[in-house]
Amino acid sequence: MTGEETRTAMSPPIRSSAQDAELHPPATRAWLTRAVIIGIVLTALNLRPAITSLGALLEEVRDGLGMSGSFAGLLTSVPPLCFAVFGVMAPRLARRFGPAAVVCAGMVAIAAGLVIRPFAGNTAGFLVASALALMGIAVSNVLMPVIVKRWFPDRVGSMTGLYSMALALGTASAAAVTVPMTRALGGSWHAGLAVWAGLAAVAVLPWIPLVRARGTALSTDAASAPAPTHGASSASAAGQEPSPLRITRSRTAWALAVFFGLQATAAYITMGWMAQIFRDAGVPAGTAGLLLAVTMVMGVPLAFVIPRLASRLPSQGPIVVALGVCGLVGYAGLYLAPAGGAWAWALLLGIANCAFPLALTMVGMRARTGAGVAQLSAFAQSTGYLISIPGPLLVGVLYQHSGGWGLPIALMAGLMIPQIVVGILAGRDRTVEDEAARRP
């Protein structure tokens, strides 16, 4: 899962720093680093348009495919299900094929899925093609924190911020322009969804030379990484494969997984249903898409600021509380005056959704080693996305059977309380390696 593990599994001879310098001279390493940064940014841009573009056109897709409200709720639950199922495979795939190859394949899967799904012709085909795109997103979701930790160990906060900012930009762009772009393409929701495959195709390009150069983010030379610190095992320092952590022994890992799951529940409910909530309140479709875009675009500046701030604090609890309060106020406003204060509620819920970059930052901070980050990232994201699966589906069922948005919004607000509690626990200054070693 980490650089040490990948090198041990794929390259038995342990190279010295001098040998690594010959294989990767400074000019080559600088080029590879730039390619990694470009690849990270382009990959992040593609990790949400498959979801938010569908949210903006959900009503048209429902009508076109004859979906019920409950089935539409199931459709909005597919992303976390795929992220949980396929995300857990990412570390093993990265160890076997190299992370650059896995992310490159992930971008190909996204492009293929987005091209196929609008023209599948029925709900089953639409779901299968969506799952293909979401599989590519899932493996990239898990590998991004690991790549950042490995290539930029002294800049985890700033690089996580850059990645999160690009992710938020892609999310907001898809929400904002999908409806007007669909109109410009003749009003066909098929074309409005398929056009996002082009962005995924572009994201394939920077990973190709990295695969060919054998300079992947997790199997690159050890000379680029700092020496193990804070009590890292001698086995890791010697370049041997460290023993896997018993990650389930760590209370922090569990707290982070639940926090990740609850914030993902809120995010996917927002991406899948918020535009429909505004439309049902009398807001025009184009404006509803813009409101969703405002919610998503708040992540662009805050996703860069919050990880940098979080990495400077010993505990991230105060940030968790601040984001949670914004979410509670936003949901209250959405319940009381969804159309009258729409822009304010969209803004506040956008701030609350920045729990995602905070969770990614805590993944990098709650483990000391690359091995720990890989295991924690896979565990927290896979477990978290499993936790988030019922949320969007339950919202669809409540909406259909209650005939309004009162109960769904109450559910969203109620889930914010445990999110704050477990976020405070996950933000404490400790590492999963220490907790796993202490517990019997």
Side-chain angles (χ1 to χ4, degrees):
M1 298 179 202
T2 66
E4 290 83 3
E5 292 174 325
T6 306
R7 286 193 303 274
T8 302
M10 301 180 67
S11 308
I14 300 175
R15 302 192 304 266
S16 68
S17 295
Q19 290 171 317
D20 284 327
E22 291 179 5
L23 288 174
H24 298 290
T28 302
R29 281 208 45 77
W31 179 85
L32 289 174
T33 300
R34 286 193 293 271
V36 171
I37 293 173
I38 294 170
I40 287 174
V41 171
L42 287 176
T43 296
L45 286 171
N46 281 279
L47 295 185
R48 294 299 178 269
I51 303 165
T52 50
S53 62
L54 177 59
L57 294 174
L58 185 58
E59 185 171 310
E60 288 76 8
V61 174
R62 285 174 58 187
D63 293 341
L65 297 178
M67 292 183 187
S68 66
S70 297
F71 194 89
L74 174 63
L75 186 62
T76 58
S77 294
V78 170
L81 174 62
C82 289
F83 293 167
V85 172
F86 298 119
V88 75
M89 300 162 51
R92 181 174 297 179
L93 290 172
R95 187 169 63 245
R96 174 66 179 85
F97 300 105
V102 175
V103 174
C104 184
M107 294 301 103
V108 172
I110 294 172
L114 294 185
V115 165
I116 295 170
R117 76 173 180 177
F119 307 103
N122 54 60
T123 54
F126 192 94
L127 278 174
V128 171
S130 295
L132 175 62
L134 293 167
M135 178 178 63
I137 296 173
V139 294
S140 301
N141 272 337
V142 171
L143 290 180
M144 286 297 103
V146 187
I147 290 172
V148 166
K149 181 79 168 182
R150 183 62 183 163
W151 275 88
F152 310 99
D154 56 341
R155 289 183 284 164
V156 170
S158 60
M159 289 304 300
T160 300
L162 177 64
Y163 152 65
S164 301
M165 186 170 63
L167 189 151
L169 181 61
T171 305
S173 298
V177 307
T178 295
V179 171
M181 187 165 53
T182 299
R183 291 172 180 162
L185 293 171
S188 169
W189 62 265
H190 305 81
L193 292 181
V195 71
W196 293 103
L199 183 62
V202 173
V204 174
L205 301 178
W207 297 107
I208 295 174
L210 286 168
V211 174
R212 296 180 63 183
R214 199 167 44 89
T216 63
L218 300 183
S219 60
T220 191
D221 53 280
S224 64
T229 57
H230 304 293
S233 68
S234 58
S236 296
Q240 299 172 0
E241 182 175 350
S243 300
L245 291 172
R246 295 191 177 183
I247 198 75
T248 55
R249 292 182 173 182
S250 169
R251 292 176 179 174
T252 296
W254 279 107
L256 187 52
V258 176
F259 177 71
F260 201 101
L262 292 175
Q263 67 80 28
T265 300
Y268 288 108
I269 290 174
T270 298
M271 286 186 280
W273 290 108
M274 176 172 278
Q276 191 64 50
I277 292 174
F278 285 126
R279 290 177 72 167
D280 286 351
V283 176
T287 305
L290 287 175
L291 287 165
L292 178 58
V294 167
T295 300
M296 299 298 107
V297 84
M298 285 305 300
V300 177
L302 291 179
F304 190 72
V305 172
I306 288 176
R308 292 171 66 89
L309 176 61
S311 64
R312 288 170 169 78
L313 296 176
S315 171
Q316 290 73 48
I319 303 178
V320 170
V321 173
L323 297 179
V325 170
C326 288
L328 290 171
V329 175
Y331 288 130
L334 202 60
Y335 179 84
L336 297 171
W343 295 100
W345 318 141
L347 186 70
L348 286 168
L349 292 174
I351 296 172
N353 276 349
C354 288
F356 175 72
L358 177 61
L360 290 180
T361 306
M362 288 196 288
V363 167
M365 296 181 68
R366 297 287 87 89
R368 285 195 309 267
T369 64
V373 172
Q375 287 187 252
L376 181 58
S377 180
F379 175 75
Q381 294 200 45
S382 295
T383 305
Y385 284 127
L386 278 174
I387 292 170
S388 72
I389 290 171
L393 175 59
L394 184 56
V395 166
V397 173
L398 289 176
Y399 170 60
Q400 179 167 329
H401 290 280
S402 68
W405 288 106
L407 285 177
I409 292 173
L411 172 66
M412 300 177 212
L415 291 176
M416 191 59 66
I417 303 301
Q419 178 179 319
I420 293 172
V421 173
V422 294
I424 293 172
L425 295 176
R428 295 176 297 175
D429 186 15
R430 55 196 64 192
T431 65
V432 294
E433 288 93 345
D434 291 340
E435 290 185 339
R438 282 199 302 265
R439 293 177 65 80

